């Protein structure tokens, strides 16, 4: 039972490079989301999806793209990395509704942009 | 926009003392509220989830209460242990599916 799997765990990029952070879940959850965590600021929502083919912006979407072609996968793309995107990124999934829509989180991707 | 605040930002207690962690939110139109634990360098682990229609949830030594009308939730941890040392995060889910987090309370339990 893998839960939410994020890859890679660590990444160093140079300014202007692009990359994709991968996220996969095996719980058949409709809802998936991406957050960034910065010291003293808590987690901030970047993008989210309520099902395959449906995505929407969160609180801090600029510089990031997402797509949801399958229920299982929700990749996050950095188009042109900037030092301000240095952060820890978390992917989460849950059922959209119901008494058991607990959010499950991946272990995170630690990204440094030089 | 939902704003979630956690006070205090840090807390240090001797082993055996009860812990009281506070969470407040600005918009009472919530779907549910969830408490998480985060260990250094790790992801988030769900502790308790309270639906908007509930007043409290309990799991072992943990009890979380919810007062939606006043925009408050409290997490109680009874008889704290050094293994309870971690950062505790409160998250409020709005009816549009979005989850808003507080900045967390970092707890240290001294042996």
């Amino acid at each position: 039972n893998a839960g939410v799997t994020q890859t890679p765990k660590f990444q160093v990029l140079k300014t202007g490079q692009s990359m994709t952070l991968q996220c996969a879940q095996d719980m058949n959850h409709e809802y998936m989301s991406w957050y960034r965590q910065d010291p003293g600021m808590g987690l901030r929502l970047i993008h989210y999806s309520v099902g395959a083919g449906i995505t929407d912006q969160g609180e801090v979407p600029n510089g990031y793209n997402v797509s949801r072609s399958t229920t299982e996968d929700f990749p996050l793309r950095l188009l042109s990395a900037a030092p301000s995107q240095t952060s820890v990124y978390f992917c989460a999934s849950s059922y959209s509704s119901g008494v058991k829509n607990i959010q499950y989180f991946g272990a995170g991707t630690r990204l440094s942009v030089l | 926009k939902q704003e979630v605040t956690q006070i205090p930002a840090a807390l240090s207690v001797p082993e055996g003392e009860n812990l009281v962690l506070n969470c407040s939110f600005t918009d009472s139109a919530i779907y549910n509220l969830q408490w998480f634990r985060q260990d250094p360098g790790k992801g988030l682990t769900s502790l308790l989830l309270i639906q908007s229609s509930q007043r409290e949830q309990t799991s072992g030594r943990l009890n979380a209460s919810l007062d939606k009308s006043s925009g408050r939730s409290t997490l109680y941890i009874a008889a704290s242990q050094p293994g309870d040392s971690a950062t505790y995060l409160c998250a409020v889910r709005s009816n549009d599916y979005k989850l808003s987090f507080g900045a967390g309370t970092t707890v240290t339990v001294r042996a």
Side-chain angles (χ1 to χ4, degrees):
Chain A
N1 188 6
V4 180
T5 302
Q6 288 185 239
T7 56
K9 287 185 169 34
F10 302 94
Q11 184 70 48
V12 179
L13 292 177
K14 294 181 179 178
T15 297
Q17 287 185 315
S18 62
M19 79 159 294
T20 299
L21 279 62
Q22 302 291 344
C23 176
Q25 52 91 9
D26 61 357
M27 297 173 280
N28 202 31
H29 286 161
E30 305 99 343
Y31 183 85
M32 295 186 74
S33 52
W34 277 101
Y35 298 86
R36 59 178 289 171
Q37 186 176 34
D38 301 293
M41 298 189 71
L43 278 79
R44 292 181 291 169
L45 181 64
I46 303 172
H47 285 285
Y48 67 101
S49 168
V50 298
I54 306 169
T55 63
D56 206 347
Q57 296 181 350
E59 183 183 354
V60 288
N62 292 341
Y64 307 94
N65 271 358
V66 292
S67 60
R68 184 97 179 268
S69 57
T70 67
T71 299
E72 295 78 19
D73 300 299
F74 191 44
L76 178 72
R77 297 182 188 84
L78 278 69
L79 308 173
S80 177
S84 62
Q85 293 179 305
T86 294
S87 187
V88 182
Y89 292 84
F90 289 100
C91 178
S93 74
S94 73
Y95 292 113
S96 293
S97 61
V99 296
K100 294 292 186 182
N101 70 341
I102 296 167
Q103 290 275 328
Y104 293 87
F105 279 78
T109 295
R110 282 147 187 83
L111 176 68
S112 292
V113 183
L114 307 178
Chain B
K1 179 191 168 192
Q2 181 74 268
E3 301 284 348
V4 182
T5 303
Q6 291 186 248
I7 294 173
L11 190 59
S12 178
V13 299
E15 182 176 3
E17 191 165 301
N18 296 333
L19 287 164
V20 180
L21 308 180
N22 298 302
C23 172
S24 61
F25 48 95
T26 54
D27 186 352
S28 61
I30 68 170
Y31 187 77
N32 61 36
L33 185 145
Q34 199 165 352
W35 282 94
F36 293 89
R37 170 185 172 136
Q38 186 176 29
D39 293 292
K42 304 293 186 183
L44 280 70
T45 301
S46 179
L47 296 173
L48 290 167
L49 181 146
I50 311 175
Q51 298 295 338
S52 63
S53 58
Q54 296 177 309
R55 294 296 297 240
E56 67 175 355
Q57 275 285 354
T58 299
S59 176
R61 294 185 294 113
L62 276 60
N63 173 276
S65 65
L66 175 64
D67 185 343
K68 207 170 61 165
S69 61
S70 67
R72 292 180 184 176
S73 177
T74 302
L75 178 66
Y76 301 91
I77 303 177
S80 62
Q81 304 167 358
D84 294 328
S85 297
T87 296
Y88 293 84
L89 296 157
C90 164
V92 174
R93 191 167 203 178
S94 304
N95 292 327
D96 61 357
Y97 301 109
K98 293 178 182 177
L99 207 61
S100 299
F101 280 84
T105 295
T106 299
V107 171
T108 302
V109 180
R110 308 186 303 270

